[in-house]
Amino acid sequence: MRISPTRFSCILYSAFGLLVTPSPTARAANSRARNDILATLRPSHPRLYLLDSDLPQVKKAIALDPVIKEWYDELEGVAEKMLTEPPAEYKLTGPRLLSQSRAALRRISTLAGLYRLDGDRRKAERARRELLAISAFPDWHPPLGLPREPP
């Protein structure tokens, strides 16, 4: 069964998340803040999906678990294709940028996450180019009925 790249990224990062057990402090914060999502954030920065301390455990899981290895290999293939895609453009679909922002988020998350796992500088540089491209957008939500010209 073939899975879309977006769903695949979500599954893989979820699987990695299952490998990481929350600290007692994080569990306590979660129980205190069931209605306050901001209270669940780690107070230190950067707020990453995957901490440096988690990387050895994730790499071990990729090496030892055939299913995780298969997911990882497929995600690597998706990343290789992303390296050749152009960065997001300020291109409205109707009155929205949603398709562009979703594509940028998918590429940045995938490429940056894989860079943290394998150290491939091409992925880091491509994620950086994507960030620079979208940070140059004049806005993120043009006023309805007033589409803007690209910069």
Side-chain angles (χ1 to χ4, degrees):
M1 177 175 79
R2 199 88 181 128
I3 301 173
S4 76
T6 302
R7 180 151 171 76
F8 180 74
S9 295
C10 291
I11 291 169
L12 186 61
Y13 285 122
S14 296
F16 289 161
L18 292 175
L19 298 172
V20 180
T21 305
S23 69
T25 305
R27 285 193 300 270
N30 286 337
S31 66
R32 282 192 315 269
R34 298 223 186 265
N35 294 325
D36 183 5
I37 192 71
L38 295 179
T40 66
L41 294 176
R42 189 173 54 255
S44 61
H45 286 271
R47 293 188 178 125
L48 303 173
Y49 295 137
L50 188 63
L51 301 175
D52 288 343
S53 60
D54 301 329
L55 291 173
Q57 193 173 2
V58 172
K59 289 177 182 180
K60 183 177 179 182
I62 292 168
L64 298 177
D65 187 314
V67 173
I68 293 177
K69 173 72 169 128
E70 184 178 336
W71 289 350
Y72 176 78
D73 289 343
E74 189 165 333
L75 191 57
E76 278 287 341
V78 169
E80 285 297 322
K81 291 178 187 167
M82 289 177 176
L83 292 172
T84 64
E85 295 173 355
E89 298 175 350
Y90 188 85
K91 183 170 36 175
L92 300 176
T93 303
R96 293 181 175 72
L97 283 167
L98 189 57
S99 63
Q100 294 298 310
S101 59
R102 283 182 176 166
L105 176 62
R106 180 179 52 86
R107 286 191 288 259
I108 293 164
S109 297
T110 301
L111 293 167
L114 287 172
Y115 164 70
R116 296 202 61 229
L117 285 172
D118 64 19
D120 184 343
R121 297 285 311 156
R122 297 174 310 146
K123 294 173 186 147
E125 180 55 33
R126 180 59 184 81
R128 181 179 178 275
R129 282 191 8 241
E130 192 78 35
L131 285 165
L132 290 172
I134 63 175
S135 66
F137 287 4
D139 56 50
W140 279 92
H141 195 295
L144 293 178
L146 300 173
R148 296 187 181 177
E149 291 298 317

